[in-house]
Protein backbone atom coordinates (compact mmCIF):
# COMPACT_ATOMS: atom_id res chain seq x y z
CA UNK A 1 0.00 0.00 0.00
CA UNK A 2 1.68 3.22 -1.21
CA UNK A 3 2.03 6.22 1.10
CA UNK A 4 2.19 9.83 -0.07
CA UNK A 5 4.84 12.28 1.11
CA UNK A 6 2.97 15.49 2.07
CA UNK A 7 5.82 17.82 1.05
CA UNK A 8 6.64 16.26 -2.32
CA UNK A 9 3.39 14.56 -3.30
CA UNK A 10 5.39 11.45 -4.19
CA UNK A 11 4.42 7.91 -3.20
CA UNK A 12 7.76 7.14 -1.56
CA UNK A 13 6.81 4.67 1.17
CA UNK A 14 4.72 1.53 1.51
CA UNK A 15 3.00 -0.52 4.20
CA UNK A 16 1.67 -4.05 4.12
CA UNK A 17 -1.74 -4.00 5.85
CA UNK A 18 -2.28 -6.89 8.21
CA UNK A 19 -5.23 -9.20 7.75
CA UNK A 20 -7.54 -10.79 10.31
CA UNK A 21 -5.42 -13.92 10.76
CA UNK A 22 -2.28 -11.93 11.49
CA UNK A 23 -4.13 -9.71 13.96
CA UNK A 24 -5.54 -12.76 15.69
CA UNK A 25 -2.03 -14.17 16.10
CA UNK A 26 -0.74 -10.90 17.53
CA UNK A 27 -3.68 -10.63 19.89
CA UNK A 28 -3.12 -14.19 21.12
CA UNK A 29 0.51 -13.36 21.89
CA UNK A 30 -0.46 -10.19 23.75
CA UNK A 31 -3.19 -11.94 25.72
CA UNK A 32 -0.77 -14.64 26.78
CA UNK A 33 1.56 -12.04 28.26
CA UNK A 34 -1.13 -9.81 29.74
CA UNK A 35 -1.96 -11.91 32.80
CA UNK A 36 1.61 -11.69 34.10
CA UNK A 37 1.72 -7.96 33.28
CA UNK A 38 -1.53 -7.32 35.16
CA UNK A 39 -0.28 -9.36 38.12
CA UNK A 40 2.66 -7.01 38.63
CA UNK A 41 2.31 -4.36 41.32
CA UNK A 42 1.36 -1.00 39.80
CA UNK A 43 4.77 0.33 40.84
CA UNK A 44 6.48 -2.33 38.72
CA UNK A 45 4.40 -1.38 35.67
CA UNK A 46 5.31 2.24 36.37
CA UNK A 47 8.99 1.33 36.35
CA UNK A 48 8.54 -0.27 32.93
CA UNK A 49 6.78 2.86 31.65
CA UNK A 50 9.67 4.99 32.86
CA UNK A 51 12.01 2.67 30.97
CA UNK A 52 9.84 3.13 27.88
CA UNK A 53 10.08 6.91 28.27
CA UNK A 54 13.85 6.60 28.45
CA UNK A 55 13.91 4.39 25.35
CA UNK A 56 11.79 6.87 23.38
CA UNK A 57 14.15 9.59 24.58
CA UNK A 58 17.11 7.67 23.18
CA UNK A 59 15.30 7.21 19.86
CA UNK A 60 13.78 10.70 19.71
CA UNK A 61 15.78 11.78 16.65
CA UNK A 62 14.75 8.93 14.25
CA UNK A 63 11.16 9.02 15.53
CA UNK A 64 10.92 12.80 15.03
CA UNK A 65 12.53 12.55 11.60
CA UNK A 66 9.98 9.93 10.54
CA UNK A 67 7.14 12.05 11.91
CA UNK A 68 8.45 15.06 9.99
CA UNK A 69 8.26 13.11 6.74
CA UNK A 70 4.84 11.74 7.75
CA UNK A 71 3.36 15.18 8.43
CA UNK A 72 5.51 17.70 6.58
CA UNK A 73 6.26 19.71 9.73
CA UNK A 74 9.28 19.56 12.00
CA UNK A 75 8.86 21.47 15.26
CA UNK A 76 5.52 19.92 16.19
CA UNK A 77 6.96 16.48 15.41
CA UNK A 78 9.67 17.09 17.99
CA UNK A 79 7.02 18.32 20.41
CA UNK A 80 5.09 15.08 19.84
CA UNK A 81 8.06 12.97 20.87
CA UNK A 82 8.67 15.06 23.98
CA UNK A 83 4.95 14.91 24.82
CA UNK A 84 4.92 11.11 24.71
CA UNK A 85 7.97 10.95 26.98
CA UNK A 86 6.25 13.25 29.48
CA UNK A 87 2.99 11.29 29.20
CA UNK A 88 4.69 7.98 30.02
CA UNK A 89 6.47 9.50 33.02
CA UNK A 90 3.34 11.27 34.23
CA UNK A 91 1.23 8.11 34.20
CA UNK A 92 4.09 6.21 35.82
CA UNK A 93 3.95 8.73 38.67
CA UNK A 94 0.16 8.96 38.92
CA UNK A 95 -1.09 5.42 38.27
CA UNK A 96 -0.18 3.65 41.55
CA UNK A 97 -1.97 6.24 43.68
CA UNK A 98 -5.05 6.33 41.47
CA UNK A 99 -5.27 2.54 41.44
CA UNK A 100 -4.95 2.36 45.21
CA UNK A 101 -7.61 5.04 45.70
CA UNK A 102 -9.95 3.18 43.33
CA UNK A 103 -9.85 -0.02 45.41
CA UNK A 104 -11.45 0.78 48.79
CA UNK A 105 -11.32 -2.07 51.29
CA UNK A 106 -13.69 -3.09 54.09
CA UNK A 107 -16.39 -0.52 53.35
CA UNK A 108 -19.48 -0.84 55.62
CA UNK A 109 -22.91 -1.28 54.04
CA UNK A 110 -26.50 -0.71 55.08
CA UNK A 111 -26.48 -4.28 56.42
CA UNK A 112 -24.32 -4.23 59.57
CA UNK A 113 -22.80 -7.67 59.03
CA UNK A 114 -21.86 -7.09 55.38
CA UNK A 115 -18.86 -5.12 54.09
CA UNK A 116 -17.46 -4.63 50.62
CA UNK A 117 -14.16 -4.18 48.87
CA UNK A 118 -13.52 -3.15 45.27
CA UNK A 119 -11.05 -4.67 42.83
CA UNK A 120 -10.02 -2.92 39.63
CA UNK A 121 -9.72 -5.56 36.93
CA UNK A 122 -8.06 -4.41 33.68
CA UNK A 123 -9.52 -5.23 30.30
CA UNK A 124 -7.18 -7.89 28.90
CA UNK A 125 -6.64 -6.40 25.45
CA UNK A 126 -7.27 -2.81 24.36
CA UNK A 127 -7.33 -1.82 20.69
CA UNK A 128 -6.34 1.71 19.68
CA UNK A 129 -7.13 3.17 16.25
CA UNK A 130 -5.49 6.56 15.77
CA UNK A 131 -5.59 9.33 13.12
CA UNK A 132 -3.01 11.08 10.96
CA UNK A 133 -2.86 14.61 12.37
CA UNK A 134 -0.73 13.81 15.46
CA UNK A 135 0.42 10.29 14.60
CA UNK A 136 2.60 9.46 17.62
CA UNK A 137 0.70 11.39 20.28
CA UNK A 138 -2.69 9.97 19.38
CA UNK A 139 -1.33 6.44 19.01
CA UNK A 140 -0.04 6.44 22.59
CA UNK A 141 -2.35 8.84 24.45
CA UNK A 142 -4.69 5.92 25.15
CA UNK A 143 -2.13 3.11 25.00
CA UNK A 144 0.10 4.39 27.82
CA UNK A 145 -2.59 4.63 30.53
CA UNK A 146 -4.03 1.30 29.36
CA UNK A 147 -0.60 -0.25 29.92
CA UNK A 148 -0.40 1.41 33.34
CA UNK A 149 -3.73 -0.20 34.17
CA UNK A 150 -2.39 -3.67 33.33
CA UNK A 151 -3.90 -4.10 29.87
CA UNK A 152 -2.15 -5.34 26.77
CA UNK A 153 -2.54 -2.96 23.83
CA UNK A 154 -2.56 -3.26 20.06
CA UNK A 155 -2.34 0.05 18.14
CA UNK A 156 -3.19 0.69 14.50
CA UNK A 157 -2.00 4.14 13.46
CA UNK A 158 -3.32 5.79 10.32
CA UNK A 159 -2.11 4.42 7.02
CA UNK A 160 -1.65 8.06 5.93
CA UNK A 161 1.23 8.61 8.39
CA UNK A 162 2.86 5.24 9.15
CA UNK A 163 6.58 6.00 8.86
CA UNK A 164 7.09 6.59 12.57
CA UNK A 165 5.95 3.05 13.43
CA UNK A 166 9.27 1.39 12.67
CA UNK A 167 11.53 3.63 14.77
CA UNK A 168 8.92 3.60 17.55
CA UNK A 169 9.00 -0.20 17.52
CA UNK A 170 12.76 -0.08 17.97
CA UNK A 171 12.32 1.97 21.12
CA UNK A 172 9.62 -0.36 22.44
CA UNK A 173 11.82 -3.41 21.80
CA UNK A 174 14.37 -2.05 24.28
CA UNK A 175 11.88 -2.62 27.12
CA UNK A 176 11.00 -6.34 27.06
CA UNK A 177 8.18 -6.05 29.60
CA UNK A 178 6.45 -3.45 27.41
CA UNK A 179 7.27 -5.19 24.13
CA UNK A 180 5.44 -8.27 25.40
CA UNK A 181 2.17 -6.38 25.82
CA UNK A 182 2.30 -3.55 23.24
CA UNK A 183 2.15 -3.92 19.46
CA UNK A 184 2.10 -1.19 16.80
CA UNK A 185 0.78 -2.58 13.54
CA UNK A 186 0.53 -1.27 9.99
CA UNK A 187 -2.83 -1.35 8.29
CA UNK A 188 -5.80 0.29 6.64
CA UNK A 189 -9.50 0.48 7.38
CA UNK A 190 -9.96 -3.27 6.96
CA UNK A 191 -7.15 -3.84 9.44
CA UNK A 192 -8.92 -1.57 11.92
CA UNK A 193 -12.16 -3.47 11.46
CA UNK A 194 -10.37 -6.75 12.14
CA UNK A 195 -8.71 -5.26 15.23
CA UNK A 196 -12.11 -4.45 16.75
CA UNK A 197 -13.07 -8.11 16.39
CA UNK A 198 -10.00 -9.17 18.40
CA UNK A 199 -10.01 -6.83 21.43
CA UNK A 200 -11.99 -6.25 24.63
CA UNK A 201 -12.07 -2.43 24.52
CA UNK A 202 -11.56 -0.05 21.63
CA UNK A 203 -10.26 3.54 21.80
CA UNK A 204 -10.77 5.45 18.56
CA UNK A 205 -9.82 8.96 17.49
CA UNK A 206 -10.98 10.21 14.11
CA UNK A 207 -13.91 11.35 12.03
CA UNK A 208 -17.57 11.11 12.96
CA UNK A 209 -18.28 8.91 9.93
CA UNK A 210 -15.65 6.33 10.86
CA UNK A 211 -16.49 6.67 14.54
CA UNK A 212 -20.04 5.56 13.85
CA UNK A 213 -18.71 2.43 12.13
CA UNK A 214 -16.40 1.72 15.06
CA UNK A 215 -19.24 2.23 17.53
CA UNK A 216 -21.54 -0.11 15.61
CA UNK A 217 -18.87 -2.80 15.40
CA UNK A 218 -18.11 -2.51 19.12
CA UNK A 219 -21.82 -2.61 19.98
CA UNK A 220 -22.27 -5.83 18.02
CA UNK A 221 -19.54 -7.40 20.15
CA UNK A 222 -20.85 -5.77 23.35
CA UNK A 223 -17.46 -4.24 24.13
CA UNK A 224 -16.95 -0.66 25.33
CA UNK A 225 -15.66 2.04 23.00
CA UNK A 226 -14.16 5.44 23.73
CA UNK A 227 -14.66 7.71 20.73
CA UNK A 228 -12.97 11.10 20.34
CA UNK A 229 -14.44 12.44 17.10
CA UNK A 230 -14.63 15.67 15.15
CA UNK A 231 -15.29 19.23 16.14
CA UNK A 232 -16.44 22.55 14.74
CA UNK A 233 -15.11 24.57 17.61
CA UNK A 234 -16.50 28.09 18.07
CA UNK A 235 -14.78 31.11 19.56
CA UNK A 236 -16.83 33.98 20.98
CA UNK A 237 -15.10 37.36 21.20
CA UNK A 238 -17.10 39.68 23.46
CA UNK A 239 -17.12 43.47 23.08
CA UNK A 240 -14.94 43.94 26.15
CA UNK A 241 -12.05 42.00 24.58
CA UNK A 242 -9.10 43.81 23.06
CA UNK A 243 -9.56 43.23 19.30
CA UNK A 244 -5.86 43.20 18.46
CA UNK A 245 -5.05 40.69 21.20
CA UNK A 246 -8.10 38.58 20.37
CA UNK A 247 -7.10 38.41 16.72
CA UNK A 248 -3.72 36.98 17.67
CA UNK A 249 -5.29 34.33 19.88
CA UNK A 250 -7.85 33.44 17.21
CA UNK A 251 -5.18 33.05 14.52
CA UNK A 252 -2.98 30.75 16.59
CA UNK A 253 -5.89 28.66 17.82
CA UNK A 254 -7.19 28.26 14.27
CA UNK A 255 -4.10 27.59 12.17
CA UNK A 256 -1.59 25.83 14.44
CA UNK A 257 -0.59 22.57 12.75
CA UNK A 258 -2.28 24.01 9.65
CA UNK A 259 -5.63 23.75 11.42
CA UNK A 260 -5.30 19.97 11.40
CA UNK A 261 -6.35 19.46 15.02
CA UNK A 262 -9.69 18.52 16.54
CA UNK A 263 -9.44 21.44 18.99
CA UNK A 264 -8.77 24.02 16.26
CA UNK A 265 -11.11 27.02 16.24
CA UNK A 266 -13.27 26.77 13.11
CA UNK A 267 -15.94 29.42 13.74
CA UNK A 268 -15.36 32.92 15.14
CA UNK A 269 -18.23 35.02 16.49
CA UNK A 270 -17.20 38.60 17.31
CA UNK A 271 -19.21 41.41 18.90
CA UNK A 272 -20.26 43.86 16.21
CA UNK A 273 -18.89 46.77 18.25
CA UNK A 274 -15.31 45.52 17.72
CA UNK A 275 -15.81 43.48 14.53
CA UNK A 276 -14.12 46.06 12.29
CA UNK A 277 -10.83 46.36 14.18
CA UNK A 278 -10.85 42.64 14.98
CA UNK A 279 -11.19 41.62 11.33
CA UNK A 280 -8.58 44.18 10.24
CA UNK A 281 -6.11 42.81 12.80
CA UNK A 282 -6.95 39.21 11.90
CA UNK A 283 -6.37 39.84 8.19
CA UNK A 284 -3.05 41.56 8.90
CA UNK A 285 -1.83 38.77 11.16
CA UNK A 286 -3.05 36.06 8.80
CA UNK A 287 -1.32 37.73 5.87
CA UNK A 288 1.96 37.82 7.78
CA UNK A 289 1.97 34.08 8.50
CA UNK A 290 4.64 32.24 6.52
CA UNK A 291 4.45 28.92 4.74
CA UNK A 292 6.99 26.23 5.67
CA UNK A 293 8.21 26.37 2.09
CA UNK A 294 10.70 26.13 0.56
CA UNK A 295 12.55 25.78 3.86
CA UNK A 296 10.82 23.16 6.01
CA UNK A 297 12.79 24.40 9.02
CA UNK A 298 11.20 27.84 9.06
CA UNK A 299 7.76 29.39 8.79
CA UNK A 300 4.38 28.87 10.40
CA UNK A 301 2.09 26.92 8.07
CA UNK A 302 2.94 23.43 6.81
CA UNK A 303 1.35 21.43 4.00
CA UNK A 304 -1.83 19.43 4.22
CA UNK A 305 -0.83 16.05 5.60
CA UNK A 306 -3.61 14.26 3.70
CA UNK A 307 -4.29 15.34 0.14
CA UNK A 308 -7.96 14.37 0.41
CA UNK A 309 -8.38 16.87 3.23
CA UNK A 310 -7.09 19.65 1.00
CA UNK A 311 -9.87 18.74 -1.44
CA UNK A 312 -12.46 18.93 1.35
CA UNK A 313 -11.30 22.41 2.35
CA UNK A 314 -11.23 23.60 -1.26
CA UNK A 315 -14.82 22.44 -1.75
CA UNK A 316 -15.99 24.18 1.42
CA UNK A 317 -14.42 27.44 0.23
CA UNK A 318 -15.96 27.02 -3.23
CA UNK A 319 -19.39 26.45 -1.66
CA UNK A 320 -18.97 29.49 0.61
CA UNK A 321 -18.05 31.75 -2.31
CA UNK A 322 -21.02 30.48 -4.31
CA UNK A 323 -23.32 31.38 -1.41
CA UNK A 324 -21.98 34.91 -1.08
CA UNK A 325 -19.04 34.69 1.30
CA UNK A 326 -16.02 36.96 0.79
CA UNK A 327 -12.45 35.81 1.30
CA UNK A 328 -10.18 38.57 2.60
CA UNK A 329 -6.88 36.71 2.55
CA UNK A 330 -5.70 33.28 1.41
CA UNK A 331 -8.40 31.11 -0.12
CA UNK A 332 -6.52 29.14 -2.78
CA UNK A 333 -4.85 25.76 -2.41
CA UNK A 334 -1.28 26.15 -3.67
CA UNK A 335 0.75 23.24 -5.02
CA UNK A 336 4.41 23.88 -4.27
CA UNK A 337 6.94 21.21 -5.25
CA UNK A 338 4.18 18.60 -4.93
CA UNK A 339 2.95 19.71 -1.49
CA UNK A 340 -0.49 21.26 -0.98
CA UNK A 341 -0.62 24.48 1.06
CA UNK A 342 -3.25 27.01 2.10
CA UNK A 343 -2.35 30.37 3.59
CA UNK A 344 -4.50 31.40 6.58
CA UNK A 345 -7.87 32.23 5.07
CA UNK A 346 -10.17 34.81 6.63
CA UNK A 347 -13.77 34.56 5.40
CA UNK A 348 -16.61 37.00 6.08
CA UNK A 349 -20.29 37.26 5.08
CA UNK A 350 -20.72 33.62 6.03
CA UNK A 351 -24.11 32.09 6.79
CA UNK A 352 -25.12 29.02 8.81
CA UNK A 353 -26.20 27.08 5.72
CA UNK A 354 -22.66 27.00 4.31
CA UNK A 355 -20.70 23.77 4.62
CA UNK A 356 -17.86 25.88 6.00
CA UNK A 357 -20.02 26.65 9.05
CA UNK A 358 -21.56 23.18 9.52
CA UNK A 359 -18.91 20.59 8.64
CA UNK A 360 -15.46 20.03 10.10
CA UNK A 361 -12.86 21.87 8.00
CA UNK A 362 -9.47 20.71 9.37
CA UNK A 363 -7.58 23.46 7.62
CA UNK A 364 -6.34 27.04 8.27
CA UNK A 365 -9.68 28.74 7.61
CA UNK A 366 -11.15 31.46 9.85
CA UNK A 367 -14.80 32.31 9.12
CA UNK A 368 -15.93 35.39 11.07
CA UNK A 369 -19.51 36.31 11.99
CA UNK A 370 -20.47 39.52 13.88
CA UNK A 371 -23.14 39.32 16.59
CA UNK A 372 -25.19 41.91 18.44
CA UNK A 373 -25.91 40.24 21.80
CA UNK A 374 -24.33 37.56 23.93
CA UNK A 375 -27.54 35.53 23.63
CA UNK A 376 -27.16 35.54 19.86
CA UNK A 377 -23.52 34.49 20.10
CA UNK A 378 -24.34 31.60 22.43
CA UNK A 379 -27.10 30.38 20.13
CA UNK A 380 -24.78 30.50 17.11
CA UNK A 381 -21.97 28.74 18.96
CA UNK A 382 -24.34 26.00 20.12
CA UNK A 383 -25.73 25.36 16.66
CA UNK A 384 -24.74 22.21 14.80
CA UNK A 385 -24.05 18.63 15.80
CA UNK A 386 -20.58 19.01 17.36
CA UNK A 387 -19.59 19.81 20.93
CA UNK A 388 -15.92 19.04 21.36
CA UNK A 389 -14.51 22.33 22.66
CA UNK A 390 -14.94 26.10 22.42
CA UNK A 391 -13.39 29.39 23.53
CA UNK A 392 -14.56 32.72 24.96
CA UNK A 393 -12.51 35.94 25.03
CA UNK A 394 -13.57 38.91 27.15
CA UNK A 395 -12.17 41.79 29.16
CA UNK A 396 -12.28 39.73 32.35
CA UNK A 397 -12.17 36.06 33.22
CA UNK A 398 -15.47 36.36 35.08
CA UNK A 399 -17.32 37.77 32.07
CA UNK A 400 -15.91 35.10 29.77
CA UNK A 401 -16.85 32.34 32.20
CA UNK A 402 -20.46 33.50 32.44
CA UNK A 403 -20.73 32.79 28.71
CA UNK A 404 -18.54 29.67 28.78
CA UNK A 405 -20.83 27.73 31.12
CA UNK A 406 -23.69 28.09 28.63
CA UNK A 407 -21.86 26.49 25.73
CA UNK A 408 -22.49 22.93 24.60
CA UNK A 409 -18.88 21.86 24.56
CA UNK A 410 -16.81 19.46 26.62
CA UNK A 411 -13.94 21.87 27.20
CA UNK A 412 -14.07 25.67 27.03
CA UNK A 413 -10.93 27.81 26.90
CA UNK A 414 -11.38 31.09 28.73
CA UNK A 415 -9.42 34.10 27.47
CA UNK A 416 -7.38 31.81 25.24
CA UNK A 417 -8.06 29.17 22.63
CA UNK A 418 -7.48 25.44 22.12
CA UNK A 419 -6.23 24.95 25.67
CA UNK A 420 -7.56 21.38 25.71
CA UNK A 421 -4.51 20.43 23.67
CA UNK A 422 -2.10 21.79 26.31
CA UNK A 423 -3.32 20.34 29.62
CA UNK A 424 -4.22 16.80 30.65
CA UNK A 425 -5.62 17.31 34.15
CA UNK A 426 -9.13 18.52 33.24
CA UNK A 427 -11.60 15.71 32.63
CA UNK A 428 -14.03 16.56 29.86
CA UNK A 429 -16.76 14.84 27.90
CA UNK A 430 -17.37 15.14 24.19
CA UNK A 431 -20.81 16.65 23.66
CA UNK A 432 -23.08 15.82 20.73
CA UNK A 433 -21.52 14.05 17.76
CA UNK A 434 -17.99 14.81 18.97
CA UNK A 435 -17.70 11.52 20.80
CA UNK A 436 -18.83 9.14 23.52
CA UNK A 437 -17.25 7.40 26.45
CA UNK A 438 -15.16 8.39 29.46
CA UNK A 439 -12.69 11.25 29.30
CA UNK A 440 -9.13 10.45 28.25
CA UNK A 441 -8.00 13.35 30.46
CA UNK A 442 -7.55 13.38 34.23
CA UNK A 443 -7.95 10.29 36.39
CA UNK A 444 -10.59 8.91 34.04
CA UNK A 445 -7.91 8.52 31.38
CA UNK A 446 -6.55 5.62 33.42
CA UNK A 447 -9.59 4.32 35.31
CA UNK A 448 -11.68 3.74 32.17
CA UNK A 449 -9.49 0.73 31.38
CA UNK A 450 -10.68 -1.13 34.49
CA UNK A 451 -13.81 -3.07 35.28
CA UNK A 452 -14.91 -2.95 38.92
CA UNK A 453 -15.33 -6.19 40.82
CA UNK A 454 -17.17 -6.03 44.15
CA UNK A 455 -16.15 -8.44 46.91
CA UNK A 456 -19.10 -8.59 49.31
CA UNK A 457 -18.26 -10.21 52.65
CA UNK A 458 -20.75 -11.63 55.11
CA UNK A 459 -19.10 -11.25 58.53
CA UNK A 460 -22.06 -12.57 60.47
CA UNK A 461 -24.36 -15.57 60.10
CA UNK A 462 -25.93 -15.93 56.63
CA UNK A 463 -29.72 -15.83 56.68
CA UNK A 464 -31.48 -19.15 56.26
CA UNK A 465 -34.32 -19.72 53.85
CA UNK A 466 -36.73 -19.55 56.72
CA UNK A 467 -35.93 -15.86 57.12
CA UNK A 468 -37.75 -15.27 53.84
CA UNK A 469 -40.75 -17.47 54.54
CA UNK A 470 -44.18 -15.92 54.06
CA UNK A 471 -44.83 -16.09 57.77
CA UNK A 472 -41.55 -14.33 58.60
CA UNK A 473 -42.02 -11.29 56.39
Amino acid sequence: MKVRNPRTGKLDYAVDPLGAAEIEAISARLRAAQSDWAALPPEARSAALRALADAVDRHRKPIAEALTIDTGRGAISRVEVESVIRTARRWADQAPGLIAAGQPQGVPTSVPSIETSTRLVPYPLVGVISPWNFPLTLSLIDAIPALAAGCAVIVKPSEVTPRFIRPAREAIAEVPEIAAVLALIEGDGATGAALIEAVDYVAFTGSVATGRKVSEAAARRLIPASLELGGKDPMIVLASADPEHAAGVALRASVLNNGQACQSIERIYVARAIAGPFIDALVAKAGAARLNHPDAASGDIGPFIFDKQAAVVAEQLRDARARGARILTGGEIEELDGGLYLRPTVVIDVTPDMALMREETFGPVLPVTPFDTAEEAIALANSGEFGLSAAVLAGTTEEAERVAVRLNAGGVSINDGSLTGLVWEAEKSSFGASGVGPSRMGASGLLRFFRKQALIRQTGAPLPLAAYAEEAL
Side-chain angles (χ1 to χ4, degrees):
M1 183 177 184
K2 300 295 184 182
V3 180
R4 178 181 173 274
N5 184 314
R7 293 197 71 88
T8 67
K10 295 179 180 178
L11 302 176
D12 59 5
Y13 193 80
V15 298
D16 186 13
L18 299 188
E22 294 162 302
I23 290 174
E24 187 59 40
I26 293 171
S27 67
R29 172 177 66 79
L30 296 174
R31 286 181 183 279
Q34 184 270 337
S35 57
D36 288 342
W37 174 248
L40 291 173
E43 293 78 7
R45 293 196 297 271
S46 289
L49 286 176
R50 291 189 186 96
L52 176 64
D54 293 342
V56 172
D57 198 0
R58 289 190 295 272
H59 289 261
R60 68 165 65 222
K61 183 177 180 180
I63 295 173
E65 288 174 345
L67 285 169
T68 296
I69 300 171
D70 272 332
T71 62
R73 38 79 167 157
I76 294 177
S77 296
R78 295 189 293 275
V79 169
E80 276 202 74
V81 179
E82 180 60 32
S83 174
V84 163
I85 294 169
R86 291 200 309 268
T87 296
R89 290 174 177 160
R90 183 183 71 237
W91 281 122
D93 292 342
Q94 297 284 331
L98 290 172
I99 292 170
Q103 300 189 99
Q105 303 297 308
V107 178
T109 71
S110 58
V111 179
S113 64
I114 295 176
E115 66 177 26
T116 71
S117 296
T118 299
R119 289 185 66 235
L120 296 179
V121 182
Y123 288 95
L125 182 57
V126 171
V128 175
I129 302 173
S130 58
W132 46 260
N133 54 325
F134 291 97
L136 178 67
T137 299
L138 295 177
S139 289
L140 297 181
I141 194 171
D142 298 308
I144 289 172
L147 290 168
C151 311
V153 185
I154 183 169
V155 182
K156 190 207 83 68
S158 171
E159 63 272 28
V160 177
T161 50
R163 295 169 180 83
F164 80 96
I165 295 174
R166 294 174 190 176
R169 283 174 175 165
E170 293 177 4
I172 293 167
E174 293 185 2
V175 188
E177 310 98 302
I178 298 290
V181 289
L182 173 62
L184 270 64
I185 64 172
E186 296 177 343
D188 55 9
T191 307
L195 182 149
I196 296 170
E197 298 301 313
V199 300
D200 306 301
Y201 186 117
V202 59
F204 171 82
T205 308
S207 70
V208 172
T210 304
R212 285 196 174 100
K213 295 177 182 178
V214 171
S215 181
E216 290 166 1
R220 283 194 296 272
R221 294 200 56 235
L222 297 178
I223 64 172
S226 295
L227 308 177
E228 177 98 356
L229 308 179
K232 192 69 185 172
D233 291 4
M235 171 179 281
I236 294 176
V237 183
L238 297 171
S240 58
D242 175 78
E244 179 83 18
H245 171 76
V249 173
L251 180 68
R252 189 217 74 228
S254 299
V255 309
L256 188 66
N257 198 42
N258 198 27
Q260 299 167 130
C262 59
Q263 74 273 13
S264 293
I265 295 299
E266 295 200 352
R267 297 177 288 154
I268 301 171
Y269 301 105
V270 58
R272 197 175 301 277
I274 62 168
F278 173 84
I279 292 171
D280 288 345
L282 188 62
V283 168
K285 294 176 187 296
R290 302 161 297 149
L291 298 182
N292 293 135
H293 182 275
D295 182 4
S298 66
D300 310 299
I301 307 295
F304 281 96
I305 297 171
F306 192 22
D307 56 341
K308 291 184 180 178
Q309 196 62 40
V312 169
V313 175
E315 174 56 27
Q316 287 188 7
L317 291 173
R318 185 208 61 77
D319 171 77
R321 282 192 186 99
R323 295 173 183 269
R326 287 190 292 147
I327 294 175
L328 302 184
T329 185
E332 298 294 336
I333 306 292
E334 302 176 46
E335 183 172 347
L336 303 172
D337 296 327
L340 300 174
Y341 297 81
L342 178 64
R343 298 175 192 274
T345 298
V346 178
V347 189
I348 62 171
D349 297 339
V350 292
T351 54
D353 61 312
M354 296 175 182
L356 183 65
M357 300 301 288
R358 294 182 291 103
E359 301 170 6
E360 189 169 40
T361 299
F362 235 59
V365 182
L366 302 90
V368 182
T369 302
F371 65 83
D372 293 306
T373 67
E375 293 294 328
E376 179 188 0
I378 292 166
L380 288 168
N382 286 340
S383 63
E385 65 175 344
F386 297 105
L388 190 63
S389 47
V392 183
L393 305 183
T396 66
T397 299
E398 293 75 18
E399 183 185 6
E401 191 163 332
R402 286 195 294 271
V403 172
V405 297
R406 298 179 61 189
L407 299 182
N408 292 325
V412 184
S413 300
I414 295 172
N415 281 343
D416 204 335
S418 301
L419 293 181
T420 55
L422 294 180
V423 297
W424 74 276
E425 294 88 349
E427 292 192 14
K428 65 182 184 66
S429 300
S430 296
F431 290 19
S434 289
V436 296
S439 173
R440 61 163 45 135
M441 302 301 176
S444 176
L446 170 76
L447 298 177
R448 61 189 164 138
F449 294 114
F450 289 107
R451 297 155 294 173
K452 289 186 176 180
Q453 183 183 66
L455 301 177
I456 307 171
R457 301 183 188 89
Q458 175 60 270
T459 62
L463 292 175
L465 177 63
Y468 293 92
E470 291 294 334
E471 301 84 354
L473 296 176

